[in-house]
Each structure stands twice: as C-alpha cells, then as structure tokens.
Amino acid sequence: MSTTETIPKQIAALERMTVGQLQKQYTEVFGEPARSGNKQWLFRRVAWRIQALAEGDLAARAVERSRALARELARDADLRLRPPPSPPPTLAHGAVTAPITVHRDDRVPPPGSLLTRRFKGRDFKVTVLPNGFEYEGEIYRSLSAVAHAITGSHWNGLLFFGLTKSKVGAHA
C-alpha cells in the first residue's frame, strides 16, 4: 500500500480519536507536547503534519507568500472594524451646537441666592451660581464640597446648610 493510500485512512482514524489520543499523536508528529485540548484544532494540525511529512511541506513560493501576507496583516493591525462615532456638529468658531441639559436639585435655591451657615461660632456665606457654588472666592461643584472646605470633614451639603430635613426624628 502506498503512502498516498494510507494518508486518508490515517486521517479517518484521527477523526475517531479522543483528545488524549490526538495529543499523543501530536507529540509523535511534532516532537513536542500539545498545549491545546481543542479536539478540532488538534485534528487539523495532526492531519496537516501527516500530509506534510508524507508529501512534502509547502513550496518555498507559498511560504514566502504567506510571510508577506502576515507582514501586511501586521501593518494593518490597527484597522477599525466599526466606523468611529461621528463628532457632534460644531460651528465655524468651534462652539458645539448640542442641547445642554442642566439638572438642578429642587432643594437648592436659584442662582444668585446667598446661603448662610453658622458653624463653631463663625458665619459662613456661600453664593449659589448657575453651575456651582462660590465660597471665599473659590468655585465648588457641590454644597458637600463647600461643607468639606468649611468643616474639614465629610458632610451632606444640603443637610449642612439646612436645605433638607434630617431623617433622624422625622418619624417621631
């Protein structure tokens, strides 16, 4: 029986093998243990190797072509699979024309209001701004940040300035 007649039988036998048997066959044909437990991958690699050993490896031209293709793929590795999101529309001078949604807490007084708080014998004044709070020339994003600047510890800003009721005693 010639080699070309036995190869299909060997490949047919590979299809019936377990993963452990394929790993053993892999070790025999490659000379090193398989690092994969994927049956399909092992089958394909061993089948290819049996054929390559019997009929010869790829032609030099095919090897060079596959290397050139691999180099080309490596250069194009940063290709996107999806288009980038479209940027928001802008005006000529760079202003963005997207709607601005401002969420204001109903418990906070309107901009321009003055909040006062007496703490440790000293009065503190905070001005409400459209997008924050001003205290001693500094702009803060939240009343909690202002309360932290005043006390040095974490406070609920709304509670500190008396804009909300404490839950303690609410049910009493």
Side-chain angles (χ1 to χ4, degrees):
M1 186 180 297
S2 71
T3 308
T4 55
E5 293 175 356
T6 62
I7 291 175
K9 290 181 182 177
Q10 288 177 331
I11 292 174
L14 290 175
E15 289 179 327
R16 294 185 297 272
M17 289 185 177
T18 64
V19 172
Q21 292 169 327
L22 285 170
Q23 287 174 328
K24 184 178 175 187
Q25 192 71 26
Y26 182 96
T27 303
E28 287 179 20
V29 295
F30 282 97
E32 62 185 40
R35 291 181 285 173
S36 175
N38 184 310
K39 185 175 180 177
Q40 187 65 29
W41 185 85
L42 287 167
F43 167 75
R44 288 179 180 168
R45 292 286 295 168
V46 171
W48 171 81
R49 184 68 174 173
I50 288 172
Q51 293 176 68
L53 290 173
E55 299 176 3
D57 206 354
L58 294 174
R61 182 175 171 225
V63 171
E64 180 54 38
R65 187 163 185 249
S66 65
R67 286 183 180 152
L69 185 60
R71 285 191 296 268
E72 185 177 327
L73 288 172
R75 278 196 306 269
D76 294 339
D78 60 342
L79 289 177
R80 289 179 163 261
L81 298 177
R82 294 185 203 160
S86 60
T90 58
L91 298 176
H93 58 279
V96 177
T97 59
I100 298 174
T101 58
V102 178
H103 174 72
R104 292 199 56 89
D105 193 325
D106 292 339
R107 297 170 290 181
V108 175
S113 301
L114 187 65
L115 301 173
T116 58
R117 169 72 154 93
R118 185 166 190 83
F119 182 73
K120 291 191 175 179
R122 186 173 159 209
D123 290 326
F124 296 93
K125 296 182 181 179
V126 176
T127 304
V128 179
L129 301 175
N131 53 359
F133 303 92
E134 185 270 327
Y135 166 67
E136 292 187 342
E138 297 284 328
I139 306 296
Y140 295 88
R141 287 183 50 191
S142 68
L143 278 175
S144 295
V146 176
H148 184 268
I150 292 171
T151 65
S153 62
H154 181 73
W155 277 81
N156 179 325
L158 296 170
L159 192 61
F160 182 79
F161 286 97
L163 299 175
T164 185
K165 293 180 180 178
S166 172
K167 290 182 179 179
V168 177
H171 300 288

